[in-house]
Amino acid sequence: MSNTVNWKDLVLPHILSLQAYSSARDEFSGDAKVFLDANENPFDEEQHNWNRYPDPLQKDIKNQLSEIKGIASENIFLGNGSDEAIDLLFRVFCKAEESNVITCPPTYGMYKVSAAIHNVENIEISLRDDFQLDVEAILNAANEESKMLFICSPNNPTGNSLRKDSIQNLLEKFKGVVVIDEAYIDFSAQKSWMHQLKIYPNLVVLQTLSKAWGLASARLGMAFANQDLIKILNKVKPPYNISGPSQKLVSDSLKNKEGFNKQIKLILAERDKLNQELQDVPGIKKVYASDANFILVKLNEAKSIYQKLIEKGIVVRDRSNVKLCDDCLRITVGTELENKKLISALAKISS
Ligand SMILES: *Cc1c(COP(=O)(O)O)cnc(C)c1O
């Protein structure tokens, strides 16, 4: 079953009719060699083209990603991190002081911040105690002004994947845009929802190169959606949102799929080992199973252990103030040596 909502009706009218900025290089076609159109400095001493404006639509990277992900380039938007894609989605769909969005805490903090920036109400429907979606409560809370629903799977900070039947149910029944954030999908055995774009035109899938691909510094986030929505996102984004050096770095890195696969394997093996070892540390009450590259643990006196770890030079993420995560720390899977240091520090602290 598909969804009867027409996603285009959700786009703000001024965005639908927006005339995009047209850059100097968009306005010619042909095989030019002399570029006197963009007021750039003509000297290119290092031969990297750093003196030139970068490709506004990042065609090379999109072609590479298209092959890696098995999806058409036309379905890919690239942003300055996923955070830019989230911001743009608010600009496209949400009207300040009128629209609302639905998020499901505990989850990634940026949805809420972005809602606040855009002066859009954030309706929070907590995950259930098992960290799964409360589908009925979400559908009951949704109203005519509910433009987007944010689902994070595998979820940050809990680490679990959200059930497929719940997500499918929401994709079919929620009368707005469903944004599925798959920042950690490469660490999970789950399949991406991006292959369902044809069935659900109101679906947007977010991924990032910041985690599994090891390129947090490059700031490269991806949004996958139907072609027309991608065109709208491209129209609204700043023209040169991905810098030339970033595009070069990303393009080179994407060629090394073998290195990527190897690192994922290592991280997953370390995750399983860390999960085992954490269970044996006295004072740890619960180690949650993870489909991501981090592990949520429940301890006695999380705050004090967090401080003591810092005194030993180890920083983890204190999530103890977060709903459903009381007394929890979120620990990123590091190198073998880093994980050893963590375990021995925890053992010392609790002895
Ligand atoms: C880390 C993370 C991101 C990544 O954001 P970028 O801006 O691409 O670095 C997105 N979503 C979730 C859930 C994350 O944990």
Side-chain angles (χ1 to χ4, degrees):
M1 198 170 89
S2 64
N3 195 311
T4 52
V5 70
N6 182 359
W7 71 272
K8 240 181 206 175
D9 295 341
L10 300 163
V11 178
L12 296 176
H14 74 282
I15 297 291
L16 262 187
S17 62
L18 175 74
Q19 190 74 42
Y21 173 76
S22 172
S23 69
R25 228 131 277 164
D26 289 336
E27 290 182 352
F28 86 98
S29 54
D31 203 11
K33 296 220 164 43
V34 180
F35 291 99
L36 306 177
D37 56 345
N39 302 342
E40 297 147 334
N41 180 322
F43 300 108
D44 181 23
E45 311 224 317
E46 290 183 37
Q47 308 275 309
H48 282 306
N49 263 354
W50 295 158
N51 62 324
R52 300 295 177 190
Y53 278 98
D55 175 3
L57 293 174
Q58 312 100 13
K59 287 184 214 67
D60 291 344
I61 304 176
K62 282 182 189 165
N63 286 335
Q64 289 174 281
L65 285 170
S66 163
E67 177 137 353
I68 291 170
K69 305 277 179 191
I71 195 166
S73 293
E74 291 75 21
N75 293 113
I76 308 176
F77 166 85
L78 298 182
N80 188 342
S82 321
D83 293 347
E84 183 178 32
I86 294 169
D87 177 76
L88 290 173
L89 288 167
F90 273 94
R91 290 177 196 233
V92 168
F93 293 111
C94 294
K95 192 166 175 186
E97 295 188 323
E98 210 173 285
S99 309
N100 66 66
V101 297
I102 299 180
T103 61
C104 307
T107 193
Y108 186 46
M110 263 325 276
Y111 318 137
K112 183 180 191 167
V113 172
S114 214
I117 290 170
H118 292 275
N119 202 5
V120 163
E121 185 192 357
N122 174 32
I123 300 179
E124 298 193 319
I125 304 297
S126 288
L127 295 178
R128 301 182 321 204
D129 288 344
D130 60 357
F131 294 153
Q132 289 295 329
L133 293 163
D134 191 338
V135 175
E136 212 178 271
I138 292 169
L139 291 173
N140 281 337
N143 58 39
E144 287 215 329
E145 290 302 332
S146 303
K147 305 297 178 181
M148 295 196 281
L149 164 64
F150 285 90
I151 293 174
C152 186
S153 183
N155 187 43
N156 176 5
T158 55
N160 60 300
S161 296
L162 300 181
R163 289 173 52 152
K164 213 175 136 186
D165 56 337
S166 304
I167 294 180
Q168 185 160 334
N169 210 344
L170 289 165
L171 276 168
E172 285 165 6
K173 295 185 184 146
F174 179 69
K175 299 290 172 218
V177 171
V178 178
V179 183
I180 305 181
D181 188 340
E182 297 182 337
Y184 300 96
I185 192 78
D186 294 311
F187 300 108
S188 130
Q190 302 279 322
K191 260 176 72 181
S192 170
W193 284 91
M194 76 170 76
H195 306 294
Q196 311 286 312
L197 290 177
K198 283 205 177 74
I199 306 173
Y200 306 109
N202 61 327
L203 167 63
V204 177
V205 174
L206 301 178
Q207 291 188 6
T208 178
L209 299 187
S210 296
K211 306 284 156 61
W213 279 95
L215 291 169
S217 174
R219 308 304 305 128
L220 204 292
M222 300 163 261
F224 304 93
N226 76 70
Q227 298 188 21
D228 292 324
L229 178 50
I230 297 295
K231 280 185 194 148
I232 292 176
L233 291 173
N234 282 331
K235 199 161 81 152
V236 178
K237 80 181 178 74
Y240 304 106
N241 61 330
I242 312 291
S243 76
S246 243
Q247 292 194 38
K248 169 95 174 63
L249 171 65
V250 165
S251 176
D252 289 347
S253 303
L254 289 177
K255 286 173 192 146
N256 187 9
K257 189 83 205 290
E258 221 170 284
F260 166 83
N261 287 332
K262 215 164 123 189
Q263 287 187 354
I264 299 287
K265 254 197 191 148
L266 282 172
I267 292 169
L268 292 186
E270 280 300 311
R271 177 184 76 192
D272 293 345
K273 208 164 83 189
L274 189 58
N275 183 303
Q276 280 301 316
E277 288 169 356
L278 284 166
Q279 301 195 27
D280 297 334
V281 175
I284 293 193
K285 288 198 286 195
K286 183 159 186 163
V287 183
Y288 292 90
S290 170
D291 264 345
N293 67 331
F294 56 82
I295 298 176
L296 190 72
V297 294
K298 199 185 263 303
L299 326 86
N300 297 317
E301 300 183 60
K303 272 211 180 324
S304 124
I305 292 182
Y306 171 78
Q307 276 309 329
K308 287 178 185 156
L309 280 173
I310 289 182
E311 284 160 25
K312 294 183 181 298
I314 298 173
V315 199
V316 299
R317 188 87 155 126
D318 179 6
R319 298 282 80 181
S320 59
N321 287 335
V322 171
K323 202 172 167 185
L324 297 185
C325 295
D326 14 284
D327 265 328
C328 284
L329 301 177
R330 190 194 71 195
I331 302 169
T332 307
V333 178
T335 63
E336 185 176 14
L337 182 63
E338 289 171 332
N339 302 334
K340 261 193 192 137
K341 284 182 180 167
L342 171 84
I343 292 291
S344 86
L346 281 172
K348 270 190 202 133
I349 290 167
S350 58
S351 68

